[in-house]
Amino acid sequence: MAYHKVNADQRAQGHSPYLDNDELQATALELEWDMEKELEEPGFDHFQLDGAVQHHLGNSQSPDLDLEPIQPSSSPKGRFQRLQEDPDYVSHYTRQAPKSNRCSFFQILKVFCTALILFIFGIVIGYYARKKCPSPPTSQEPNNPHIYHEILKEIKAENIKQIYRDLLQFPREDDVDIAMKILVQWSSQGLEDVQLVNYSVLLDLPGSSSNTVTLKNSGECFYPSGQQCDRETKTLHSQDLLYSYAAYSAKGTLELSLLEDAGFGGVLLYADPCDLPKTTDLADKAFMVSLNSGGDPSTPGYASIDGSYRQYRPNLTTLLVQPISAELAKKLVSLPGDTVQKDRCIHLQLPATGKKVISLNIQSVTTYKTISNVIGYLKGTVFPDRYIIIGSHHNGLNAYGGQEWASSTAIITAFIQALMLKVRRGWRPDRTIVFCSWGGTSFGNIGSYEWAEDLKRVLQRNVVAYISLHNPVRGNSTLHPVASPSLQQLAAESQSFNCVEETRCPGSNVSSVQIQGDSDYFINHLGVPAMQFSYEDIKTSENSSFLFEALFPVRTTKTEELDPSFSLHETIAKLTGQVTLQIANEPVLPFNALDIALEVQNSLKGDEGDIPQLLAVAARLRDTAELFQSDEMRPANDPKERAPIRVRMLNDVLQSLEKSFLVHRVPPGLYRNILYRLDERTRQFSVLLEALEHCKLHQSNETIQAALSEVLNSINSAQVYFKAGLDVFETTLAGKK
């Protein structure tokens, strides 16, 4: 038979005429399988195996099995099929239905049942796996704006008010204790990764007794508030008196003349009554101010981590500096108490004649203390290495300075709460959102500086934007949005659908003025686009930012008097949440490159910036920005033309737009990021205006030439950066073609 011949052939092809047991068993199994398969072929219903009888087919003459080799069949049905196809072939065999048919039925039934069981089992596993570990959301265009609405509608005024009051229940403890309680609160809202980051830093704290100012001519002694020195006043207002000082001033006692022209050794700081908001009563209040420009004074430019070299710098100036109230300033210069005449405010001025000698006594104490930052992460699913930072701060100065820290902390906590409700239902942002509550803000933004210096290399690459919540409700008359030029359009658009009370924010103008608080490092050292929404009094928003640096003693009820319903807090929370969600989820960062170029051209208008070289390079910047906006940003915002690699390249360019405008040298009090103006009244580059003033005083143009060079190089650097981005995109597109 054919199967015997095949077996013989297989054995003949081996290296040995003998097979071991394993090989023999394997061969037998193969033969049995081959035989059953061939017997199942059509046309063999009457074929019957009989091992005892040899039947002869055709002209076979002998039962000898040593037949000539049988060639493989070209038919897909095997060698026996060829016999059936032979017209001379006649079958002489009959048999019952083969057993293999019954086996095949049971095998098919077995396979079907197994598959059905596995299918049902898979459905059950998938259901519970999805229930416990929800799959990431599918791609959305652009992350479904209705999702933003669902999140923001969970932010309610009454909820913020309750969080605010809960925060004020904290005992008056040090920075670390308050930070720890905020950490617990954020963790209880569901934020998964919350950290307490501590730094040991050099702080200048009030001494055991208040600083004093004494008129040597009359012997009268005054506290900084203007009250005369006596034990009763000192006892009743000990905290306010102690905290009326300039941190990091020189210490000691000094006599000086108010009219001394040169060689002075002391400074009296006061807020002119004409600059104070009419809604506040601060004329008889002294204040605290820090002379520290930022970070731990003992580790300038590097983080205060264990093992760092410490420079003991108790004084950041050789001058004795003392803040005083406007009332005390009037007494010292002998001006009448009423400085308002016919609806016109008269600024305080020194008298033309007369000379007064005063004695300053400053007793602050410098010591190392631990300050804490609370850092919480909500990881993104698409770009987890890109960060949007939202920053508030907590107060380590007991109740001095009021409770504005509790306002900012309540707002950021309410936003976390609303976000985590959505996260628990399976949603996550595309980019990582980082929540920060900074410590040591009152002493020079120490907590934010130290953390950013610690993570500088990571933040330079990863931070996309900084959203500030520093003192969000400092007035109640107008909404004051501030944003870097690339974010001004986003800030303006967000106001149209997030104001709780439309009359309180009727499309307020967005400006790029210097803002106070912990955004400082991110704006001036990292070149990160920043934004801040706050309610202020109109008069305050128009004046210099010095008032924001001054920390006045404020009643604990001041916040609730400004916003009794907390609707202003709700508006700030929703505006902040709206821009945060858009930056965190839009496939293309919602930054406007052309607005930067327009801001530069506007800042060069006027005699100060009328320099041909500056105007020419600013025009080139605008042309390049327009080309970048039309050729790269618009196509990328179309989902049909959006390629992931090009979107990532585009976002990398947008993320670093403002880094070109960081200059190396600026006068004290001005931003290194020249895109920000000193105040609302300034339209030109503040660094150029300051240099012109210096030029007029010193009859030298060296300072103005240096400032012009800084501005020129910044604008040129931005233009080159835009052009390089365009060249990269063109090269990539040409390579694909």
Side-chain angles (χ1 to χ4, degrees):
M1 291 179 62
Y3 73 88
H4 285 293
K5 187 64 180 179
V6 171
N7 187 38
D9 291 343
Q10 290 175 346
R11 187 172 62 247
Q13 292 173 0
H15 296 289
S16 171
Y18 303 102
L19 296 173
D20 57 24
N21 290 338
D22 291 339
E23 291 174 333
L24 187 61
Q25 292 175 3
T27 303
L29 289 172
E30 292 173 1
L31 288 175
E32 181 181 355
W33 184 87
D34 285 342
M35 192 64 189
E36 288 186 356
K37 180 178 179 182
E38 292 178 345
L39 288 175
E40 292 173 13
E41 297 294 339
F44 277 82
D45 293 340
H46 302 288
F47 184 82
Q48 182 177 2
L49 285 176
D50 189 352
V53 180
Q54 297 289 339
H55 296 276
H56 306 282
L57 300 177
N59 55 4
S60 297
Q61 301 296 323
S62 169
D64 187 6
L65 295 177
D66 191 14
L67 304 174
E68 61 177 278
I70 300 176
Q71 298 298 322
S73 171
S74 59
S75 169
K77 296 186 178 181
R79 291 179 290 275
F80 285 95
Q81 181 69 18
R82 286 201 306 163
L83 295 176
Q84 188 179 23
E85 292 171 354
D86 187 348
D88 297 329
Y89 172 79
V90 178
S91 177
H92 301 283
Y93 305 97
T94 60
R95 69 173 179 90
Q96 297 177 348
K99 180 182 178 181
S100 60
N101 283 349
R102 293 191 298 271
C103 292
S104 297
F105 173 76
F106 287 114
Q107 288 175 351
I108 292 172
L109 182 61
K110 184 190 297 182
V111 170
F112 175 77
C113 293
T114 303
L116 182 62
I117 292 171
L118 290 175
F119 178 73
I120 297 172
F121 188 60
I123 291 176
V124 174
I125 292 177
Y127 172 77
Y128 284 102
R130 181 178 179 85
K131 185 176 180 180
K132 294 182 179 180
C133 303
S135 58
T138 58
S139 178
Q140 297 149 348
E141 296 293 342
N143 205 278
N144 289 343
H146 77 270
I147 290 181
Y148 307 161
H149 175 72
E150 290 178 0
I151 293 172
L152 298 178
K153 74 179 182 181
E154 299 296 336
I155 300 175
K156 298 180 174 62
E158 57 271 19
N159 189 30
I160 299 175
K161 188 174 186 177
Q162 186 59 52
I163 297 172
Y164 172 85
R165 290 180 172 177
D166 290 343
L167 289 169
L168 295 185
Q169 298 304 313
F170 291 172
R172 298 291 177 249
E173 298 168 342
D174 63 15
D175 193 276
V176 178
D177 293 330
I178 294 176
M180 191 63 203
K181 290 179 178 178
I182 294 174
L183 180 147
V184 172
Q185 193 174 53
W186 289 5
S187 299
S188 68
Q189 302 296 341
L191 200 58
E192 306 105 331
D193 186 3
V194 189
Q195 306 169 6
L196 196 68
V197 185
N198 297 331
Y199 297 97
S200 177
V201 300
L202 190 65
L203 298 183
D204 193 31
L205 301 172
S208 57
S209 59
S210 174
N211 298 341
T212 59
V213 179
T214 304
L215 276 172
K216 298 298 291 183
N217 299 14
S218 62
E220 292 180 281
C221 174
F222 298 95
Y223 292 122
S225 62
Q227 298 168 318
Q228 290 192 343
C229 301
D230 60 65
R231 293 185 178 181
E232 181 180 0
T233 304
K234 188 174 181 179
T235 302
L236 291 175
H237 306 282
S238 58
Q239 181 171 266
D240 290 359
L241 294 174
L242 289 177
Y243 280 92
S244 299
Y245 77 111
Y248 306 103
S249 164
K251 285 80 174 170
T253 302
L254 175 70
E255 289 187 4
L256 68 151
S257 169
L258 293 179
L259 296 180
E260 191 163 355
D261 295 328
F264 61 89
V267 177
L268 295 175
L269 298 176
Y270 66 91
D272 194 287
C274 297
D275 293 330
L276 293 173
K278 294 180 180 180
T279 55
T280 60
D281 184 19
L282 301 176
D284 61 342
K285 300 291 193 300
F287 51 90
M288 177 202 168
V289 67
S290 176
L291 305 181
N292 179 20
S293 60
D296 179 7
S298 69
T299 58
Y302 54 96
S304 298
I305 59 176
D306 292 341
S308 295
Y309 170 66
R310 305 280 179 159
Q311 305 176 34
Y312 185 68
R313 303 168 68 199
N315 310 331
L316 297 181
T317 178
T318 58
L319 302 176
L320 272 73
V321 182
Q322 177 58 53
I324 61 174
S325 68
E327 290 296 329
L328 179 56
K330 294 177 187 178
K331 294 176 183 179
L332 295 179
V333 299
S334 299
L335 287 179
D338 186 11
T339 59
V340 179
Q341 297 179 358
K342 297 180 180 179
D343 297 328
R344 185 173 64 90
C345 186
I346 301 175
H347 291 277
L348 298 182
Q349 295 180 352
L350 289 175
T353 59
K355 181 176 181 179
K356 291 190 177 183
V357 178
I358 67 171
S359 174
L360 282 179
N361 180 27
I362 296 179
Q363 305 181 42
S364 58
V365 178
T366 307
T367 183
Y368 283 99
K369 289 184 71 68
T370 299
I371 60 103
S372 300
N373 298 324
V374 186
I375 312 294
Y377 296 86
L378 176 57
K379 297 293 179 64
T381 57
V382 181
F383 306 110
D385 60 335
R386 292 295 179 260
Y387 303 159
I388 294 86
I389 298 179
I390 308 178
S392 64
H393 72 280
H394 48 270
N395 190 10
L397 290 177
N398 296 317
Y400 189 88
Q403 309 301 338
E404 52 88 10
W405 71 272
S407 290
S408 63
T409 305
I411 288 174
I412 197 172
T413 303
F415 183 42
I416 292 172
Q417 188 178 60
L419 278 173
M420 298 314 297
L421 287 174
K422 196 67 176 176
V423 169
R424 282 192 283 269
R425 294 196 289 266
W427 174 89
R428 275 188 178 271
D430 289 348
R431 299 177 181 91
T432 296
I433 303 176
V434 184
F435 304 93
C436 304
S437 180
W438 307 113
T441 299
S442 304
F443 295 94
N445 305 319
I446 293 181
S448 56
Y449 259 75
E450 296 311 307
W451 184 77
E453 288 173 344
D454 199 1
L455 280 71
K456 184 175 182 179
R457 295 292 177 262
V458 175
L459 299 179
Q460 282 176 329
R461 182 183 68 251
N462 292 2
V463 178
V464 171
Y466 185 93
I467 313 299
S468 173
L469 280 170
H470 181 79
N471 199 358
V473 181
R474 56 177 70 107
N476 59 9
S477 60
T478 183
L479 177 68
H480 186 225
V482 175
S484 58
S486 60
L487 288 176
Q488 285 185 5
Q489 182 174 329
L490 177 63
E493 292 172 351
S494 66
Q495 298 177 60
S496 62
F497 49 87
N498 274 299
C499 284
V500 177
E501 298 183 26
E502 294 296 335
T503 57
R504 297 297 183 97
C505 46
S508 304
N509 291 330
V510 184
S511 59
S512 296
V513 297
Q514 295 185 184
I515 56 178
Q516 305 311 313
D518 294 284
S519 59
D520 182 26
Y521 191 92
F522 299 91
I523 294 173
N524 292 303
H525 294 268
L526 300 179
V528 172
M531 186 185 300
Q532 173 182 283
F533 294 98
S534 62
Y535 275 97
E536 299 176 359
D537 293 311
I538 297 176
K539 187 70 175 178
T540 306
S541 64
E542 295 174 351
N543 288 337
S544 173
S545 58
F546 166 75
L547 287 177
F548 299 146
E549 298 280 4
L551 190 63
F552 285 89
V554 181
R555 300 185 307 276
T556 57
T557 58
K558 180 66 175 178
T559 297
E560 297 201 39
E561 290 174 5
L562 287 173
D563 186 21
S565 67
F566 273 68
S567 61
L568 303 185
H569 286 74
E570 180 181 336
T571 298
I572 297 296
K574 290 187 173 181
L575 288 169
T576 300
Q578 175 71 33
V579 296
T580 300
L581 289 170
Q582 286 189 252
I583 299 173
N585 293 292
E586 298 291 342
V588 177
L589 290 172
F591 298 171
N592 195 305
L594 183 57
D595 282 352
I596 294 180
L598 295 175
E599 185 77 12
V600 168
Q601 286 192 316
N602 290 333
S603 298
L604 291 176
K605 292 180 179 178
D607 296 337
E608 297 82 2
D610 192 12
I611 308 298
Q613 294 90 337
L614 283 176
L615 296 176
V617 72
R620 290 199 300 271
L621 173 62
R622 177 173 178 170
D623 292 342
T624 309
E626 285 180 341
L627 192 62
F628 183 85
Q629 191 98 357
S630 60
D631 287 9
E632 302 303 334
M633 293 192 67
R634 288 177 184 172
N637 280 299
D638 184 356
K640 297 179 181 178
E641 300 184 28
R642 187 181 299 151
I645 184 63
R646 288 177 65 82
V647 169
R648 183 61 186 245
M649 291 167 58
L650 176 60
N651 286 337
D652 288 345
V653 173
L654 293 172
Q655 180 180 327
S656 302
L657 290 179
E658 296 189 15
K659 290 179 171 58
S660 298
F661 295 94
L662 300 181
V663 298
H664 299 289
R665 295 168 299 184
V666 291
L670 297 185
Y671 270 14
R672 288 184 59 212
N673 189 328
I674 62 174
L675 293 175
Y676 289 80
R677 304 188 305 275
L678 184 61
D679 53 50
E680 297 283 2
R681 296 169 296 187
T682 306
R683 300 305 307 173
Q684 289 78 28
F685 285 119
S686 297
V687 65
L688 292 182
L689 293 177
E690 187 71 16
L692 283 170
E693 290 296 324
H694 187 274
C695 180
K696 294 174 183 178
L697 289 174
H698 298 278
Q699 301 298 314
S700 170
N701 64 353
E702 182 178 350
T703 304
I704 188 64
Q705 291 298 326
L708 286 170
S709 179
E710 290 269 25
V711 174
L712 178 67
N713 281 284
S714 295
I715 301 173
N716 182 69
S717 175
Q719 192 272 332
V720 171
Y721 180 76
F722 274 124
K723 184 65 168 58
L726 285 170
D727 291 343
V728 169
F729 283 114
E730 290 175 2
T731 303
T732 304
L733 184 60
K736 287 186 177 181
K737 289 182 178 178

